[in-house]
Amino acid sequence: MERAVEVEHRSFSRPSPYLDGARTQHESDFKYARYQNLINGSVPTGAAGATDSVKVERRTKIVDKKTIGIALYGLGRAGVIHLGNLMINPRVSLVYTLESDQARYDAMKERWGDRMPPNVLPADSGAVLADPRVDAVMVATPTHTHFDIIQQALLAEKLVFSEKPIGENEQQARLCYQLAEQRGLSVFCAFNRRFDPALQTVRSGVRRGDVGVVHTIKTVARDSPLPSIDFLRQSGGIFHDCAVHDIDLICWILGQFPLRVLASASAHVPEIAALGDHDTAAIVMEFEGGTIGSIDLSRNAVYGYDQRTEVFGPGGLLTAGNERPVNVHHLTPGGETAVPFYFSFPSRYSESYANELDSFLDYVQGKIPLPIRPEDSLRVSQIASACEESLRTRAFVELDYESAQ
């Protein structure tokens, strides 16, 4: 015979927490907010600061599609990052890869197995662009190939996601944007740092006035590991390959572009000097209202991928510091140790690459405006060119954005 279980009834000093209503996460917990969007079916907000108008006319064929067909050009440094995100994103159908190096494709085929789409040689891209299953192309090939690929994709009525820069120079980039406008399409220039949660938090704080009128804004970007000479040979130089990320970041945080720039650079690595390029650079940017921006660049930080941002004003200081793979510290009588911070960009900005893809898909499906406007990309390229001119002349270079249009 079962014994009755006696339940002890106690009085509590405070009401049950179930009566307090549902707790919500702090605004900083972006991962939980994303989880809530998934389970509640909420529409993502997209990238902070997007202001361009939505071109729904051309995209009406795509807006209602739950799965976007994409062809990925390139399986190199950036391409393999994008491949991983494309393969796991439920809104993507990766239809093709286009890679001339069969060994690279075979390595990815070994990893992904039968899920890996067929590979097409770039010379045979016409068949890819003619395939109606392909809604958009993602360009992650060397810089000198971007212009031709983007032009061909736009002529084939495909939307474009491109690693920066759009072309080898401002004129090529402008021609791509003009063709996109003529055909009712768009080119998404991938400045991935805009989609980093820490940097988005800094920007939001600046826009709220948390530091007041910005007096100075600084970035440190020191690469790790030292890029290969083969990569540097076709990179476009330290200003157009490396500095553009920080130029865009500072302008995006402030919401304005500099009036003038001053640049200095040197080469401490003989192989880089032999290319006529530089491995170390500093940039000063002066903005309307007296804000001063500064950028500290290096191609070779032996202690890890050094990425820091600081915004200072009369109301205080906002900083985004280096991040580590694990937040574990070892304290002993001899001092404190921790694992080094992230070794390179695929680790440090893994979250931003995934967010960047989601933002592009949100745009393609008509949920948000184009996150990165053509004029943003063109002006960043113009500023990088002004830095090169400043290096040659050893003087400030004034920027005239209107005459460049």
Side-chain angles (χ1 to χ4, degrees):
M1 182 177 177
E2 292 187 4
R3 296 176 56 189
V5 178
E6 293 185 3
V7 179
E8 179 183 0
H9 293 276
R10 294 183 292 162
S11 60
F12 295 91
S13 60
R14 55 176 303 182
S16 166
Y18 289 104
L19 301 178
D20 292 340
R23 290 181 60 217
T24 59
Q25 81 281 2
H26 187 268
E27 61 183 11
S28 65
D29 192 344
F30 63 92
K31 291 186 178 180
Y32 192 81
R34 185 171 59 200
Y35 167 74
Q36 288 288 81
N37 282 335
L38 288 173
I39 63 174
N40 294 328
S42 303
V43 176
T45 57
T51 57
D52 199 14
S53 59
V54 182
K55 294 185 176 69
V56 294
E57 295 84 0
R58 163 62 181 86
R59 292 186 292 115
T60 51
K61 298 177 183 177
I62 303 175
V63 164
D64 294 330
K65 293 186 68 173
K66 294 186 181 299
T67 304
I68 307 303
I70 292 180
L72 171 62
Y73 284 71
L75 294 173
R77 278 166 44 110
V80 295
I81 299 172
H82 292 306
L83 174 66
N85 289 325
L86 290 166
M87 293 293 271
I88 64 175
N89 194 300
R91 290 192 284 169
V92 170
S93 171
L94 185 57
V95 187
Y96 299 100
T97 61
L98 294 96
E99 172 55 60
S100 58
D101 187 339
Q102 186 63 36
R104 286 181 176 177
Y105 175 79
D106 290 343
M108 294 301 101
K109 178 74 172 177
E110 179 71 21
R111 173 178 173 79
W112 294 102
D114 292 340
R115 294 184 57 197
M116 192 70 183
N119 187 56
V120 175
L121 293 176
D124 301 324
S125 63
V128 171
L129 297 176
D131 192 330
R133 296 176 298 165
V134 176
D135 301 307
V137 302
M138 179 176 283
V139 183
T141 50
T143 294
H144 70 272
T145 67
H146 287 192
F147 177 74
D148 287 340
I149 294 172
I150 292 170
Q151 291 276 307
Q152 293 168 11
L154 293 172
L155 290 171
E157 298 292 308
K158 309 301 182 183
L159 294 165
V160 176
F161 174 117
S162 177
E163 279 295 311
K164 60 81 197 159
I166 299 302
E168 290 188 272
N169 51 56
E170 294 167 58
Q171 180 62 21
Q172 286 188 351
R174 197 172 298 279
L175 288 172
C176 287
Y177 285 123
Q178 288 173 352
L179 180 58
E181 182 68 24
Q182 291 166 8
R183 303 186 77 84
L185 297 164
S186 59
V187 178
F188 177 107
C189 184
F191 282 111
N192 71 293
R193 294 181 194 178
R194 290 192 184 202
F195 303 90
D196 176 70
L199 297 174
Q200 286 185 334
T201 301
V202 169
R203 180 185 186 274
S204 296
V206 170
R207 296 304 183 90
R208 276 196 310 266
D210 290 356
V211 300
V213 175
V214 176
H215 289 185
T216 60
I217 177 169
K218 303 177 182 180
T219 64
V220 170
R222 297 176 183 150
D223 212 352
S224 169
L226 178 66
S228 70
I229 290 298
D230 285 342
F231 169 80
L232 294 177
R233 185 176 288 114
Q234 57 187 359
S235 69
I238 194 169
F239 293 106
H240 280 279
D241 174 62
C242 189
V244 287
H245 283 292
D246 295 83
I247 293 169
D248 178 72
L249 179 63
I250 287 176
C251 295
W252 174 67
I253 288 173
L254 295 177
Q256 58 178 303
F257 297 93
L259 303 174
R260 60 192 64 84
V261 297
L262 177 68
S264 178
S266 57
H268 298 278
V269 179
E271 292 86 352
I272 295 178
L275 297 176
D277 199 359
H278 307 86
D279 53 58
T280 305
I283 300 169
V284 174
M285 301 191 291
E286 294 184 355
F287 294 84
E288 186 176 1
T291 300
I292 298 174
S294 61
I295 298 171
D296 173 345
L297 297 174
S298 174
R299 285 292 195 183
N300 188 29
V302 297
Y303 51 87
Y305 190 56
D306 194 354
Q307 298 285 295
R308 289 172 277 154
T309 299
E310 174 186 294
V311 188
F312 170 76
L317 179 70
L318 281 167
T319 65
N322 286 305
E323 298 182 5
R324 301 176 190 272
V326 293
N327 191 26
V328 175
H329 293 251
H330 182 202
L331 281 71
T332 70
E336 179 180 351
T337 60
V339 300
F341 40 82
Y342 284 119
F343 181 67
S344 192
F345 73 96
S347 305
R348 169 60 183 86
Y349 289 117
S350 61
E351 194 79 37
S352 71
Y353 278 106
N355 292 342
E356 179 182 60
L357 172 60
D358 270 324
S359 188
F360 176 68
L361 296 174
D362 290 342
Y363 166 70
V364 170
Q365 293 179 329
K367 297 177 181 179
I368 63 170
L370 185 65
I372 299 176
R373 303 171 303 175
E375 57 264 38
D376 293 345
S377 171
L378 290 169
R379 290 185 176 188
V380 167
S381 181
Q382 184 181 350
I383 295 164
S385 295
C387 290
E388 292 178 331
E389 181 182 347
S390 173
L391 183 63
R392 289 191 299 270
T393 62
R394 300 295 180 181
F396 269 101
V397 174
E398 304 285 331
L399 286 149
D400 183 358
Y401 302 107
E402 299 303 321
S403 64
Q405 294 180 355

